[in-house]
Amino acid sequence: DIQMTQSPSSLSASVGDRVTITCQASQDISTQLNWFQQKPGKAPKMLIYDASELQRGVPSRFSGIGSGTDFSLTISSLQPEDFGTYYCQQYDNVPLTFGGGTKVEIK
Amino acid sequence: QVQLVESGGGVVQPGRSLRLSCTSSGFIFSNYAMHWVRQAPGKGLEWVAVTSYDGTSKYYAESVKGRFTISRDNSKNTVFLQINSLRGDDTAVYYCARDTSGRIGGRLDLWGQGALVTVSS
């Protein structure tokens, strides 16, 4: 199975800050990577697919980059509604696997 | 309205069985592969199973293989997850999710609200 390692596991930042979350795959997955946002008690919401493609309706302050084994999600200017837990997920191979999550809190 | 709605969750004794359903609306269900993903309380996301658009290809996580069965009825726009021999570590919210591909691609662009399964005596 492909292991996905996210960091940090949590962060606290202020409104307007630039925030970056990283995700590392245990083997080359090309650009077969999604990013999700999950708020407490809610289902995950896709933000980014194919490592860098913005899902329709997602604000442009979210961006993704990477290929191979190293990926990152950046929020260019953190907004109050961006709190929650963020997950990366690879789809290069079954079983699909998720990173452990990054909890984002607003200071 | 494009949506997925899960049902069938509840409190179940260890060793018993349960069938979850996920009914779609607002899109052509038979065009899409469908997944189940679960989340134990306070934990991360764990992929469980997938079925192709026509039900001919199915894959499972190793942790559920032999106990879980995914199936679909395209005439009813519904995907199912049959869970047998329930164990405590099956306690979780179970989400169904739509794959953007008809084959098994892995881009999960639409999720249901989740169904809570609690395994307890």
Side-chain angles (χ1 to χ4, degrees), chain B residues 44-63:
Chain B
L45 300 167
E46 179 189 16
W47 176 81
V48 171
V50 60
T51 175
S52 60
Y53 73 102
D54 58 359
T56 59
S57 294
K58 301 174 185 180
Y59 296 92
Y60 299 91
E62 202 62 38
S63 58

Side-chain angles (χ1 to χ4, degrees), chain A residues 1-4 24-30 67-71 90 92-93:
Chain A
D1 298 1
I2 299 173
Q3 305 303 315
M4 306 300 292
Q24 185 169 60
S26 60
Q27 65 188 66
D28 190 335
I29 60 168
S30 184
S67 66
T69 62
D70 295 304
F71 303 86
Q90 67 79 22
D92 184 64
N93 263 324

Side-chain angles (χ1 to χ4, degrees), chain B residues 42-86:
Chain B
K43 302 296 184 182
L45 300 167
E46 179 189 16
W47 176 81
V48 171
V50 60
T51 175
S52 60
Y53 73 102
D54 58 359
T56 59
S57 294
K58 301 174 185 180
Y59 296 92
Y60 299 91
E62 202 62 38
S63 58
V64 307
K65 206 173 287 185
R67 294 192 303 121
F68 287 26
T69 302
I70 189 170
S71 61
R72 66 190 296 158
D73 184 339
N74 285 344
S75 69
K76 296 181 179 177
N77 296 328
T78 300
V79 61
F80 304 99
L81 186 69
Q82 176 71 35
I83 308 175
N84 297 330
S85 304
L86 276 154

Side-chain angles (χ1 to χ4, degrees), chain A residues 34 38 42-43 46 50 89, chain B residues 39 47 95 105-108 112:
Chain A
N34 294 322
Q38 186 180 33
K42 300 295 186 183
M46 179 187 275
D50 287 355
Q89 173 242 319
Chain B
Q39 186 169 37
W47 176 81
Y95 296 101
R107 298 179 199 160
L108 309 182

